[in-house]
Amino acid sequence: PYSSFVGKYPITITHGMTVGELARLFNEQFLINCDLTVIPMKNWHRGQWFDETGLKWVNPSPNIRSLRAATVYPGLCFLEGTNISEGRGTETPFEIFGAPFIDKGKLTAELNRLNLPGCYFEPVEFIPTTSKWEGKRCEGSRIIVTDREKFLPEQTGLYIVQKIHDLYPKQFEWISSHFDRLLGSSKPRETIVKSKSLNELFFSWQERQSWFLDLRDNYLLY
C-alpha cells in the first residue's frame, strides 16, 4: 500500500547502490525483465564520497544543492510529511528546519542532548520564500554533520520529528499519508504518536536490512 513514486520497491532508504546497480536489481528482482546493459564506470570505488571524486557538483534535485544537503536528505526529508518547514524557500533546504511556533533555543538544546552520532545542531531563524510557512518567520535548528561515516540520517530524521512532536503537540501536524509513503510504513509514525521507543523500531529494521544487504551483493559492480 505504500508503493509510490517516492518509494516504488521495498529497499532500504540509504541503499548504497549506483543507478546502474539499482537497475540490475530492479530488473531481476521485480520482474521487469528488460534487455538491460549497464556500462561500468572507471576510477570510482564504493568508499568515495562525491567531494573525493574531483567532479563538479550537479544538483540531483532543485532543493538538494550541496553534498551537505544530500548527506542529510534521507532523514530530513521525513519533515515533508509534517507541517515543519524543511528549509524549502531558503538558500539551504534540508540543512535547516523549523516553524513559527518553535523556540530555536529550546529545540536545539533538546536535540543536542540526544548526542546523536556524527552531528550536532545550531539554532537558526529563517523566512521561507516558498512552500510551508511562506513569508513567516520561523525558528528552528541547523544540522551540522561532523562525521559522515558515523552519521545515521534516517534515525536522526526520526529523532528530530519525535522531538518536535513531543515539544509542540498542539501545533505539530502530520501529513500522514505522505509521511508513511516516505518511510514505506505507518510504524514509524505510530511509534512516535504512541510515545514508544525509537530504538525498538530501529532494532526491528535490522533483520530486513540484513536481508537487503545479502540481496544487494548480487548486483554490485564495484
Side-chain angles (χ1 to χ4, degrees):
Y2 301 107
S3 177
S4 71
F5 176 76
V6 297
K8 181 65 176 176
Y9 298 116
I11 64 173
T12 59
I13 295 173
T14 47
H15 47 73
M17 301 178 75
T18 67
V19 172
E21 291 169 341
L22 283 172
R24 282 158 46 89
L25 185 151
F26 292 165
N27 194 46
E28 184 171 317
Q29 289 296 318
F30 303 112
L31 306 179
I32 298 172
N33 295 324
C34 72
D35 183 8
L36 174 67
T37 299
V38 176
I39 301 173
M41 293 182 285
K42 294 181 179 180
N43 304 317
W44 181 82
H45 61 81
R46 192 166 303 280
Q48 281 183 305
W49 288 78
F50 191 85
D51 57 1
E52 297 169 335
T53 65
L55 299 174
K56 181 181 178 181
W57 176 264
V58 177
N59 295 344
S61 179
N63 284 292
I64 302 178
R65 302 172 186 169
S66 67
L67 180 57
R68 296 188 308 275
T71 301
V72 301
Y73 176 80
L76 272 291
C77 72
F78 300 158
L79 293 170
E80 294 179 336
T82 74
N83 67 334
I84 306 303
S85 169
E86 61 283 338
R88 291 179 185 271
T90 74
E91 292 298 315
T92 52
F94 298 107
E95 297 181 56
I96 61 175
F97 52 92
F101 54 81
I102 287 177
D103 180 316
K104 62 182 180 181
K106 183 177 182 180
L107 174 62
T108 301
E110 289 291 325
L111 289 172
N112 282 327
R113 197 168 287 125
L114 295 173
N115 290 316
L116 298 175
C119 69
Y120 71 95
F121 300 87
E122 294 179 343
V124 69
E125 297 180 14
F126 59 95
I127 300 176
T129 58
T130 60
S131 194
K132 299 174 195 169
W133 306 113
E134 179 180 349
K136 301 289 182 63
R137 177 179 169 275
C138 296
E139 292 193 16
S141 301
R142 180 188 305 276
I143 184 169
I144 308 292
V145 175
T146 56
D147 190 328
R148 300 186 296 197
E149 301 298 334
K150 293 181 179 179
F151 178 63
L152 301 172
E154 297 99 323
Q155 289 89 332
T156 299
L158 284 178
Y159 275 119
I160 291 170
V161 173
Q162 182 189 55
K163 187 59 67 176
I164 299 174
H165 171 274
D166 292 350
L167 287 174
Y168 304 99
K170 294 183 178 180
Q171 297 99 328
F172 179 92
E173 295 178 2
W174 296 101
I175 307 172
S176 299
S177 59
H178 189 46
F179 190 87
D180 295 350
R181 279 196 299 268
L182 290 168
L183 273 296
S185 169
S186 62
K187 288 183 180 179
R189 178 174 53 82
E190 292 167 356
T191 296
I192 293 172
V193 169
K194 295 176 182 178
S195 299
K196 293 184 177 180
S197 169
L198 284 177
N199 286 331
E200 293 180 11
L201 175 71
F202 301 151
F203 182 78
S204 73
W205 287 356
Q206 292 180 6
E207 182 178 354
R208 185 69 176 175
Q209 184 181 44
S210 296
W211 169 84
F212 175 74
L213 290 176
D214 288 341
L215 174 68
R216 188 184 81 150
D217 283 343
N218 298 312
Y219 301 98
L220 299 183
L221 295 170
Y222 312 96

